[in-house]
Amino acid sequence: MLLLAQMPQARHGPSQLKPPALHVKSWLSSKQGPEETGRQGQPQGPGLRTRLLVTALFGAGLGGVWLAMRAEKEQQQQQRRTEALRQASVGQGDFSLLDHCGRARCKADFRGQWVLMYFGFTHCPDICPDELEKLVQVVQQLEAEPGLPPVQPIFITVDPERDDVAAMARYVRDFHPRLLGLTGSAEQVAQVSHSYRVYYSAGPKDEDQDYIVDHSIAIYLLNPDGLFTDYYGRARSAEQIADSVRHHMAAFRSVLHGSGH
């Protein structure tokens, strides 16, 4: 299981926002002609059309306030979750691995980029291919939206005994042209896995010397500062993950603009 505990979120009720006053009476009176009269010739109150207009304007005001309150509440919840995840000290420190082209890679190489990262192994029969396919779907959805920064997909093996550079190169080409496969020595893989709280354990070998590696299943999101920002388990769909990444991107932009960068 993934050794990450989702921090509880504090519950805050909606702030007591007063609906904006609707100064429609004077505007309506300036636009209306003579007062309507009833059958007895007595002045009547505002007509049906006027009352509908007042109701519509009042409802629109309340709707706008409700939407603003909801957006503010969602943003506060996301900020609390992000801060709790950062305090979990996941992804601290550097790592040193080889990519599927044989080039040395470290954490600093991905600064300035959004990263979606998955730990698995190439001999995995079903879960790893499914999760990598989901990760690729997220990247493709975000690539199709103008104005969004690109997301770098990364696959890190937890089976360095079999997943050398050549094996990783053969594997990643079946998913996405920008999917980067990372491998290394047993010690290097152990270091990066420990940094991201990834559990893995190789099972017994069969008569063909084949074996399964039991491991944590999660897709990690890193922001352009290289900080672990969120993670997504098997239950999250590609659409849900893409939506979450969009929210994190928007929050990151707002922080940058707010700090004057």
Side-chain angles (χ1 to χ4, degrees), residues 93-202:
D94 201 359
F95 59 77
S96 179
L97 297 168
L98 293 176
D99 68 20
H100 64 268
C101 295
R103 294 171 296 192
R105 294 284 189 162
C106 66
K107 186 177 179 181
D109 293 336
F110 306 102
R111 290 290 296 268
Q113 304 177 61
W114 287 92
V115 172
L116 281 172
M117 185 167 60
Y118 178 76
F119 290 78
F121 64 111
T122 65
H123 285 72
C124 182
D126 46 25
I127 294 176
C128 291
D130 290 346
E131 291 300 292
L132 282 174
E133 184 61 37
K134 181 167 66 176
L135 186 154
V136 166
Q137 289 174 9
V138 174
V139 172
Q140 291 172 335
Q141 288 182 30
L142 298 173
E143 282 178 334
E145 299 183 29
L148 290 184
V151 177
Q152 174 62 55
I154 293 178
F155 171 51
I156 301 180
T157 184
V158 292
D159 185 18
E161 180 179 340
R162 293 180 293 185
D163 292 343
D164 57 12
V165 169
M168 295 295 280
R170 289 191 299 270
Y171 193 73
V172 299
R173 67 188 181 192
D174 292 331
F175 292 94
H176 190 281
R178 291 196 297 106
L179 177 60
L180 195 65
L182 298 181
T183 185
S185 68
E187 292 76 17
Q188 290 170 328
V189 169
Q191 178 188 0
V192 66
S193 300
H194 177 75
S195 175
Y196 286 94
R197 305 293 192 268
V198 174
Y199 162 82
Y200 66 98
S201 176

Side-chain angles (χ1 to χ4, degrees), residues 10-11 25 37 55 73 85 97 140 144 175 180 201 214 218 255:
R11 295 180 176 272
K25 184 175 180 181
T37 56
T55 301
K73 184 177 180 180
L85 290 172
L97 297 168
Q140 291 172 335
F175 292 94
L180 195 65
S201 176
D214 184 26
V255 170

Side-chain angles (χ1 to χ4, degrees), residues 116 137-139 141-142 145 148 232 237-247 249:
L116 281 172
Q137 289 174 9
V138 174
V139 172
Q141 288 182 30
L142 298 173
E145 299 183 29
L148 290 184
Y232 311 103
S237 68
E239 291 72 21
Q240 290 172 327
I241 297 174
D243 188 57
S244 174
V245 174
R246 290 188 198 96
H247 280 87
M249 287 178 171

